[in-house]
Structure formats: C-alpha cells, structure tokens
Amino acid sequence: MNELRVVISGGGTGGHIFPAVSIANAIRELRPDAKILFVGAEGRMEMQRVPQAGYEIKGLPIRGFFRPLWKLANIGVAIDYLKSKHMAKKILRDFQPQVAVGVGGYASSAALGAANSLGIPTLIQEQNSYAGLANKNLAANASKICVAYEGMERFFPADKIMLTGNPVRQQLLDAKITREEALKTFGLDPNKKTVLLVGGSLGARTINDSVLTHLREIAESDVQFIWQTGKYYSNQIAEALKEKGQPANLCVMDFISDMAAAYRAADLVISRAGASSISEFCLIGKAVILVPSPNVAEDHQTKNALALANKNAALYVKDADAKVELIPLALKTVNIESRLQSLRENVLKLGLPDSANIIAHEVLKLANAE
C-alpha cells in the first residue's frame, strides 16, 4: 500500500478548526499510517489547537484584507499573501502530498492555490449556508466540494458538490454523562430548568450585555444559567458582577472545557450561529436560540440561523434586538416543555451524521488510496 500524505489547511476560528481536526482524525481511522500536515495562519487559533490535537502545523504570514479594499494597509496584506503562496509551494514540494484539503479561512486560499498550481488534487469543505470567499475562489479548480447545506449550486459547480454535513467534535457525540451528572459538575440543581449561554470560543459582547441587562429577572426566576463569557470579556464581567451582585442561580465561567457536559446539562442553549455550533445542535438535538453575529463576512450567520428558524428547528433573535429580547424569551421558552420538545425534534431532522468519515473516504479516493 502506498504511503498516504495529506495536507489540511484553514482556520482562524474554532468553526474552521474543529471540522479540520475531525477530518484528520477520520483519515487516521481509515489509514493509521497516514502522514497529515496542517497549514495555518501565523498568530491564529489553529497554531495552538492543532498541535494540541496531535498534528504538526506550519504557519503562513497570511491575513485578511482590510475594508474598504483601497486602504493603503492592503498593500502589505497583498505582499504577505504572495509570500504565503510562495512558502506554501515550498511546504507542499517538501511534503509531497497526494491531496490537499481546505476548510476555509485565510491560510487555505494560499495553500490550496499553491496545490492547484502544482497539480495536486484538492477537496474543499464549506461549513456555511453562504460560501466563504476563500472557498468560492478555490472552487473552479477543486476536485470535490463537500457542503453542509442544500442549494450550494449558486456558489459552486453543481457536478463537484457533495452534501456531507459538517464534521463535529467527536467527544460531543460519544458523551455518556447523564443530565444529573452534568449538572453536578457545574454545582447546579438537577430539578431546575437550565439555560446555557455560549458566545463562541472568544465570547460574544451582545450575549454578555443581554445577561448583565437582565440580572434582576435572572435572580428572580426559578431557572439556572451556565454562562460562558469568553476569556476576552471575563475581567470586565467580573467587575460588573462585583458591582451589581451575582445571582446565586448564575454559574459564570470564562471558558468551558467540557462542552459535552455543558450541552447535556442544558434544557435550552443560547448561541451565535456559526456553522460548527449549528451542526452540533442538529446532531445532539438541542433546543436553541440563535443570535447571529453581525460581524462576519456576507452576514453568513444570519443565513445559517434562518435555515433552522424557517423549519421551526431553532428560535432566532437579531443581534440588535438581543439586549432587550433575549433573556425574557429564554426564560419564557425554557418553561414550556412542549416548545422545547418540538425544537429538539425538528433540529434532529436536519442533522447529517458521519460527515467526517464520508469526507475522509472522498480524500482517500482523490489520493488513489482507497
């Protein structure tokens, strides 16, 4: 059997990194001898998270363009892109992969662009219902395009598209912990309804402000809350709670390392609408209120959220309305069991299981290793 070598590129957020690592793990399951190299962007989250997952990563000095595009600073960005593409070519020539996989993000545009120029087959994985710029630019030369939503023909050549869903963190699917055990790990009461608030790995100012605005209603309710503030906001929130007083039914953490336990503990989740998070809710069947971030390219989180809300598989609150509406809606919804059950049932219907394994088989086919 020929040696299998695969390059995986992309990152910038957990939403790109989790699927990338899941795909790598699935390739290793099929071919334990596979050599896998990641290519990321220097200074971004992947440079830490990928080695933690047990894989080697090389960094490129690539970054995003400033808006508007005619800003002078973009001259430096363009120079870094050209430098990154040259470095990516060298990395690929040295590593000699049979296939390159891109999951979106700055680094994938340089790494897969280099792979295309060297004649290496490429597979791209698009997590969102609205395609990212890197993937749109790479699509013409890609051999296979794996997507998580129907209707992606408006971005990509239809004959290359395969509906696979998004790979998710395996530990969420394998979790054996019961709701009672999960609540105990957070020091919470198993007899009370529980709301989990998460704003992504870095936190979400709007979700945090919504909580701080409604501390009195939270304190007076019979509902308990697990609140991941994000490390970026943790100090200012600690100060605010010192000043206003922290309700006894509010468990505050800057980062939750065991998301499987947090999801199991929650009757209702409040979250941003990143593609990876949505895929997780679909596969584990969580009732969720989605608050799309307005600070993302092409407003793709709103499109992700509406794809669920239009099928009664999630509730949707606009970022601009969240400070006023979010916590009152959560307090009302979490106490209506029939509403929670209907959201759980509808979101489960949208899950596409086994995505990482399906994509890994496609990678092996492109590498002529299956």
Side-chain angles (χ1 to χ4, degrees):
M1 196 182 283
N2 290 341
E3 186 176 63
L4 174 62
R5 290 174 170 267
V6 181
V7 158
I8 301 178
S9 184
T13 65
H16 290 312
I17 298 160
F18 297 140
V21 169
S22 297
I23 293 166
N25 291 342
I27 293 168
R28 279 263 167 92
E29 282 281 308
L30 297 172
R31 285 286 302 269
D33 62 316
K35 301 277 191 296
I36 299 173
L37 176 67
F38 279 74
V39 178
E42 286 173 0
R44 304 291 289 194
M45 197 190 290
E46 59 265 30
M47 300 308 292
Q48 278 183 310
R49 293 289 176 87
V50 168
Q52 284 168 2
Y55 295 97
E56 185 188 353
I57 186 165
K58 304 266 189 194
L60 303 176
I62 195 164
R63 52 207 169 104
F65 282 97
F66 296 97
R67 299 284 191 271
L69 286 175
W70 58 81
K71 274 194 174 180
L72 267 179
N74 282 327
I75 296 170
V77 177
I79 291 167
D80 282 344
Y81 175 77
L82 294 171
K83 194 182 352 176
S84 294
K85 197 160 174 191
H86 178 73
M87 286 170 69
K89 269 190 181 174
K90 183 175 185 328
I91 290 166
L92 293 172
R93 282 199 185 102
D94 291 346
F95 188 67
Q96 296 194 323
Q98 291 102 327
V99 60
V101 178
V103 296
Y106 309 136
S108 68
S109 59
L112 266 73
N116 288 329
S117 66
L118 294 171
I120 298 164
T122 59
L123 176 147
I124 58 179
Q125 197 259 328
E126 175 55 59
Q127 292 109 34
N128 291 292
S129 59
Y130 194 97
L133 191 59
N135 280 346
K136 280 195 279 195
N137 291 339
L138 293 165
N141 293 308
S143 306
K144 182 68 72 176
I145 302 168
C146 297
V147 301
Y149 291 88
E150 288 169 353
M152 298 301 283
E153 298 81 9
R154 64 194 196 280
F155 305 111
F156 302 131
D159 59 330
K160 296 181 179 183
I161 293 174
M162 184 175 185
L163 184 65
T164 59
N166 282 326
V168 303
R169 293 173 279 186
Q170 196 59 38
Q171 66 265 37
L172 299 181
L173 304 179
D174 296 342
K176 300 285 188 283
I177 191 168
T178 66
R179 180 178 180 273
E180 288 70 25
E181 288 165 346
L183 284 163
K184 204 177 283 182
T185 66
F186 294 99
L188 296 174
D189 183 345
N191 299 310
K192 288 189 173 180
K193 292 287 190 183
T194 306
V195 176
L196 168 67
L197 300 119
V198 283
S201 44
L202 300 175
R205 183 194 294 276
T206 300
I207 292 175
N208 292 344
D209 286 349
S210 303
V211 177
L212 292 174
T213 303
H214 293 275
L215 285 174
R216 186 174 57 78
E217 291 96 318
I218 288 169
E220 290 171 0
S221 75
D222 196 33
V223 176
Q224 54 199 2
F225 288 75
I226 303 168
W227 179 20
Q228 178 182 275
T229 63
K231 291 186 175 168
Y232 183 78
Y233 298 104
S234 60
N235 289 340
Q236 66 193 71
I237 284 166
E239 287 298 314
L241 289 173
K242 202 183 290 179
E243 185 189 317
K244 295 169 184 261
Q246 181 175 331
N249 56 341
L250 185 62
C251 170
V252 185
M253 308 171 80
D254 63 350
F255 180 74
I256 299 170
S257 52
D258 189 352
M259 280 308 297
Y263 282 153
R264 190 56 59 91
D267 298 286
L268 177 67
V269 179
I270 291 171
S271 171
R272 287 304 200 189
S276 279
S277 298
I278 284 181
S279 296
E280 290 171 358
F281 303 140
C282 291
L283 288 170
I284 61 178
K286 275 286 132 187
V288 60
I289 301 175
L290 296 170
V291 187
S293 169
N295 309 312
V296 292
E298 313 285 1
D299 196 24
H300 68 249
Q301 286 204 6
T302 296
K303 296 172 179 83
N304 291 348
L306 289 172
L308 269 67
N310 291 339
K311 292 178 178 165
N312 292 316
L315 300 179
Y316 159 59
V317 173
K318 271 188 183 171
D319 187 85
D321 301 334
K323 206 166 167 182
V324 173
E325 294 177 10
L326 182 58
I327 298 301
L329 177 64
L331 288 168
K332 180 182 165 192
T333 306
V334 78
N335 282 309
I336 306 171
E337 185 53 41
S338 59
R339 187 75 180 105
L340 294 177
Q341 187 56 28
S342 135
L343 288 168
R344 287 193 287 260
E345 286 171 5
N346 290 336
V347 82
L348 268 174
K349 290 174 192 165
L350 303 179
L352 290 163
D354 213 23
S355 303
N357 192 42
I358 294 165
I359 294 168
H361 276 290
E362 291 304 310
V363 172
L364 265 57
K365 279 183 203 166
L366 289 178
N368 292 318
E370 188 171 77

